[in-house]
């Protein structure tokens, strides 16, 4: 494995993959020569896991575990259990993964043993992920009391465990801080796995911090690095993370492209298969790609998500399933699934995912439960404000309060735009009753399935005439242009002359700093509206102007 790591440093994907394959051949040969050597089986299992040969990796690690137990080799037992635990965890076998770590903690390893500490921190991370923040905090506190001499990997795991606890105690700022420290330490380990993990962690930090574009870029960088390093199983997971961030940004064509790349992967962990299904369901439905959306929905294993007990899986899976079930006319099943999900979640991201579906179609009890969770758990940043305002708007609509619905939807829209959640911002525009504007936004970002929901049958007969004193607004004209209407169709819709539309359109182009309809669609998708300069967006890891201004 060290040899493979050195070869990876040469920067060639072919060289890196060849190095891992050579390592596999060497360890297989050695393990066959000494079949009773637990350490050989452990190393072989690690290489097979990296190459995506999941079943063979599990078999080798189980052999290593059995041999270590028989030989009373506590160190190898702990190492094999830790590696196998993460492999099972990534394959959505939560209970089996956690049981292996509990066995290590019940062994006779000293309290300050680095292996016991790593097992405790791994269990703390997994426990926090299933929503048991109290037990996770107890494990982390025990590590602190042990005063164990942690290496870099151990310190990074310690910080990551602390980070996962804080979102459940309304201290997400501390979570971001600890994740940043863990990411910095990961960069000092100088091996492929740690570097990929650092890139993913930094993307997650940006995501928590409301910088969605930066998060997308970092996930994409992690996918590229994993590909170049021969970390086959990690590539599709990072691609799917980047695809979801792209969807949130309103870049649905790019999301579909990344999703197609992940779909082409030959080897996926259970976690990646589940993520591919729910991302594919939501993106396909929004784009109006019925066949891909139906295939993704067919692969959506709802029960596996609930068995994992991980809110970060339950929330998005339930949301995706509800969207498709309602589309198939199975509303009762969708409501039952949402009710079950609301009672199973306990963390930030799952609450975010469920707000739209539960607020629109859940029961009053489900909405009240979700509202309680949101206000108890989320930090005071743009993302949390947006979701709280969105849920307030949906509750007002359920009560028939049009004024409150419009006001809260407007607040949610502005908050979503601040963190570049443009797809959700378009949903708020629709909720506020600005249908033409919402349709234009959906078309501009490639959400043709959503735009089709808002289609209005063309008027027949004489065009509708407005009060001559009423001027044609820039925004109405821009929305109809982006929606694909010709100047003549816009004139008929608004009850004005074609010449008036042409003059208004030239004024809009000048205001937006564009020269044609395609460019106008792009700037509107990025959040521009008539009456203000276009939003300035910089590539790379830099923040948008709106994100900078809110700091």
């Amino acid at each position: 494995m060290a040899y493979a790591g050195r070869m990876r440093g040469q920067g060639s994907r072919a060289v890196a993959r060849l190095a891992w394959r050579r390592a596999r051949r060497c360890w297989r040969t050695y393990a066959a020569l000494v079949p009773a050597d637990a350490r050989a089986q452990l190393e072989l299992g690690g290489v097979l896991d990296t190459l995506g040969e999941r079943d063979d990796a599990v078999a080798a690690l189980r052999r290593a575990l059995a041999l270590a137990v028989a030989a009373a080799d506590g160190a190898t037992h702990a190492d094999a259990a830790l590696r196998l635990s993460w492999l099972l965890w990534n394959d959505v076998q939560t209970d089996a993964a956690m049981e292996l770590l509990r066995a290590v903690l019940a062994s006779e390893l000293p309290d300050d043993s680095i292996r016991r500490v790593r097992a405790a921190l791994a269990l703390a991370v997994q426990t926090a992920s299933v929503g048991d923040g109290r037990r996770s905090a107890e494990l982390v506190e025990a590590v602190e009391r042990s005063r164990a001499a942690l290496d870099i990997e151990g310190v990074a795991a310690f910080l990551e465990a602390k980070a996962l606890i804080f979102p459940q105690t309304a201290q997400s700022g501390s979570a971001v801080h600890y994740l940043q420290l863990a990411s910095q330490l990961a960069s000092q380990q100088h091996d492929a796995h740690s570097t990929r993990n650092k890139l993913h962690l930094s993307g997650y930090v940006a995501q928590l911090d409301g910088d969605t574009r930066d998060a997308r870029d970092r996930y994409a960088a992690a996918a590229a690095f994993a590909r170049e390093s021969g970390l086959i199983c990690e590539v599709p997971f990072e691609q799917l993370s980047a695809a979801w961030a792209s969807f949130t940004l309103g870049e649905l064509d790019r999301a579909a492209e990344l999703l197609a790349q992940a779909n082409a992967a030959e080897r996926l962990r259970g976690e990646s298969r589940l993520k591919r299904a729910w991302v594919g369901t939501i993106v396909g439905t929004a784009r109006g790609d019925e066949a891909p959306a139906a295939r993704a929905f067919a692969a959506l294993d709802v029960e596996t998500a609930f068995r994992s007990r991980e809110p970060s899986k339950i929330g998005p899976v339930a949301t995706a399933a509800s969207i498709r079930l309602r589309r198939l006319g199975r509303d009762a099943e969708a409501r039952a699934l949402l009710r079950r999900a609301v009672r199973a979640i306990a963390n930030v991201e799952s609450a975010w995912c469920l707000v739209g579906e539960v607020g629109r179609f859940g029961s009053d009890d489900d909405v009240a439960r979700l509202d309680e969770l949101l206000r108890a758990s989320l930090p005071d940043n743009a993302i949390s404000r947006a979701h709280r305002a969105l849920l307030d708007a949906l509750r007002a609509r359920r009560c028939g309060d049009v004024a409150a619905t419009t006001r809260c939807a407007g607040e949610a829209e502005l908050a979503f735009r601040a963190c570049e959640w443009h797809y959700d911002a378009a949903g708020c525009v629709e909720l506020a009753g600005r249908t033409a504007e919402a349709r234009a936004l959906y078309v501009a970002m490639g959400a043709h399935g959503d735009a089709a929901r808002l289609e209005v049958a063309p008027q027949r007969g004489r065009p509708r005439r407005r009060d001559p004193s009423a001027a044609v607004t820039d925004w109405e004209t821009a929305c109809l242009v982006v929606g694909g209407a010709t100047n003549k169709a816009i004139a008929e819709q608004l009850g004005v002359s074609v010449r008036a539309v042409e003059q208004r359109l030239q004024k809009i182009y000048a205001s937006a700093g564009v020269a044609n309809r395609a460019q106008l669609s792009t700037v509107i998708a990025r959040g521009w509206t008539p009456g203000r300069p276009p939003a300035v967006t910089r590539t790379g890891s830099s923040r948008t102007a709106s994100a900078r201004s809110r700091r």
Side-chain angles (χ1 to χ4, degrees), residues 481-493:
V481 167
V482 174
T486 63
N487 288 354
K488 182 179 179 181
I490 295 171
E492 292 178 352
Q493 177 73 16

Side-chain angles (χ1 to χ4, degrees), residues 1-295:
M1 294 180 71
Y3 170 71
R6 289 194 299 272
M7 293 292 283
R8 186 216 56 75
Q10 298 181 26
S12 166
R13 176 173 58 183
V15 169
R17 190 167 296 182
L18 177 61
W20 284 112
R21 288 173 177 167
R22 285 177 177 173
R24 174 185 58 189
R25 184 169 62 250
C26 291
W27 280 114
R28 272 184 171 160
T29 301
Y30 182 68
L33 292 173
V34 284
D37 188 331
R39 182 60 60 174
Q41 296 293 338
L42 170 61
E43 296 293 348
L44 175 60
V47 173
L48 292 171
D49 181 25
T50 298
L51 287 171
E53 299 176 19
R54 184 250 171 213
D55 292 340
D56 289 344
V58 169
L61 291 170
R62 289 195 184 282
R63 286 196 298 271
L65 200 60
L67 290 169
V69 170
D73 183 351
T76 304
H77 171 216
D79 291 343
L82 186 61
R83 185 74 189 237
L84 181 57
S85 173
W86 283 120
L87 201 159
L88 295 176
W89 180 268
N90 290 328
D91 212 31
V92 203
Q93 298 184 45
T94 308
D95 292 334
M98 296 173 72
E99 190 57 39
L100 285 170
L101 297 175
R102 293 191 186 102
V104 173
L105 296 180
S107 68
E108 297 181 356
L109 288 172
D111 288 346
D112 61 350
S113 163
I114 187 62
R115 290 180 171 85
R116 175 184 285 277
V117 168
R118 285 180 180 171
L121 292 172
L123 185 58
V125 169
Q126 295 179 10
T127 303
S129 297
V130 300
D132 190 351
R134 177 176 299 180
R135 175 56 181 156
S136 180
E138 291 173 355
L139 288 163
V140 173
E141 289 169 4
V143 169
E144 288 184 289
R145 289 195 302 270
S146 72
R147 299 186 179 277
L150 299 178
D151 56 5
I152 290 178
E153 182 179 353
V155 174
F158 172 75
L159 294 169
E160 186 176 352
K162 294 200 71 143
L164 286 172
I165 297 170
F166 279 105
Q168 300 178 49
T169 57
Q171 298 183 61
S172 188
S174 297
V176 170
H177 172 68
Y178 282 119
L179 279 174
Q180 287 171 335
L181 293 175
S183 176
Q184 291 167 10
L185 284 170
S187 67
Q188 298 176 25
Q189 293 175 253
H190 305 298
D191 68 76
H193 286 286
S194 296
T195 303
R196 197 280 313 173
N197 189 50
K198 176 227 176 187
L199 289 167
H200 183 85
L201 273 178
S202 62
Y204 186 52
V205 168
Q207 186 176 323
L208 273 182
D209 209 23
D211 196 343
T212 311
R213 190 173 299 278
D214 189 26
R216 189 274 314 279
D217 292 343
R218 290 177 184 273
Y219 289 141
F225 180 85
R227 186 184 301 109
E228 292 297 324
S229 305
L231 305 179
I232 299 172
C233 279
E234 307 297 347
V235 176
F237 182 78
E238 301 296 349
Q239 289 171 333
L240 291 167
S241 298
W244 183 245
S246 296
F247 173 81
T248 304
L249 287 165
E251 299 173 358
L252 273 71
D253 290 340
R254 183 165 183 177
E257 180 182 344
L258 289 163
L259 186 60
Q261 294 173 11
N263 284 333
E266 297 178 1
R267 296 167 181 162
L268 284 87
R269 302 186 192 277
E271 184 177 28
S272 296
R273 286 195 296 271
L274 196 62
K275 192 167 189 174
R276 180 175 64 176
W278 67 257
V279 172
T281 299
I282 294 175
V283 172
T285 302
R287 281 170 51 84
D289 297 337
E290 281 302 305
R295 285 195 299 271

